[in-house]
Structure formats: C-alpha cells, structure tokens
Amino acid sequence: MRFKARLMKDNLLLLSSVLHMLERVGTTAVIFLNENNIRLAVVTESPDSPKVFSEFNQENIFFDYRIESQNANSILFEIEIDLLLQALASGKHAPQCLLKLVKRGPKPFLCFESRVSE
C-alpha cells in the first residue's frame, strides 16, 4: 500500500475548512482514497447523529498524486480530525506540503511534511 501526494497552500486551507466543519459533527473521520476521489465521512456514536460526507476529485486538491494498493488502488483509514487539523495547520505557511503513507514497524502512519524557506 502506497500513497503520496502534494498539495498547495490554497488547497490545504480548503481541506482544513472542510475538516473544521466535519469536526462539529464528530471527532473521527474515515478517509477513502482512490485514483480519482478523496472521500471524507464522520464517524458518529449515535444512530440519531447527523451523517456527514464530503467528496473531492483528487485533481482539485492534490498534485503529484500517487496511490497503489492491492485493493483496486484504494486506501481506507480512520483518523482523529483534530490531529489531522493540527498537522495541516503546521503547514499553512509553506508553499506546498507532502502527505504520504509510511510504515513504521507493523503500523501504517500518515506522514505530513512541510518546508518554509526563509
């Protein structure tokens, strides 16, 4: 399973805005990535809670987008929204950021890299 994508500052701010809205409904999100789309859904505890879902064409968010998996090049993972927002906030001054899936020991991690030149 491999995932690597770059996003520009404007798209990072857009993604952060969407995540802030999703965070109002729940604390955990499920992210589904495939060759064409990025889908975000909020995981809620109660069946009476509102259901929230967001979908983007990957070309509108990322550039230099690469995804590989044994499941039709699709990756599904769950993430705490506040932790993802903190990572995105750390890159808001960088012209571009890199998201990639890395494996540390037996567990996969979503790695976020940003660089600001002085």
Side-chain angles (χ1 to χ4, degrees):
M1 184 169 32
R2 294 179 187 194
F3 167 71
K4 185 176 179 180
R6 295 186 186 280
L7 69 157
M8 300 299 286
K9 182 178 180 177
D10 293 340
N11 295 342
L12 182 138
L13 297 174
L14 172 68
L15 188 57
S16 294
S17 300
V18 170
L19 287 167
H20 276 294
M21 287 185 269
L22 295 177
E23 189 178 35
R24 294 179 183 173
V25 177
T27 59
T28 306
V30 172
I31 300 179
F32 176 76
L33 305 167
N34 66 22
E35 293 175 329
N36 302 313
N37 301 311
I38 298 124
R39 296 180 183 130
L40 306 163
V42 175
V43 177
T44 57
E45 299 294 325
S46 169
D48 298 330
S49 298
K51 307 300 182 238
V52 181
F53 180 85
S54 179
E55 181 175 358
F56 299 97
N57 185 325
Q58 64 85 4
E59 293 173 349
N60 294 334
I61 300 292
F62 299 117
F63 71 97
D64 191 22
Y65 184 82
R66 294 183 214 152
I67 186 167
E68 294 176 23
S69 78
Q70 294 177 354
N71 189 21
N73 291 335
S74 300
I75 299 173
L76 178 73
F77 59 93
E78 190 173 304
I79 192 164
E80 296 294 321
I81 296 172
D82 62 335
L83 297 177
L84 183 55
L85 282 169
Q86 287 177 19
L88 292 174
S90 70
K92 67 183 177 183
H93 298 294
Q96 65 178 342
C97 300
L98 173 69
L99 281 168
K100 63 183 174 179
L101 197 59
V102 297
K103 194 168 186 178
R104 298 206 173 122
K107 294 185 178 183
F109 288 87
L110 186 64
C111 181
F112 184 82
E113 293 180 16
S114 61
R115 294 184 185 171
V116 179
S117 59
E118 296 180 36

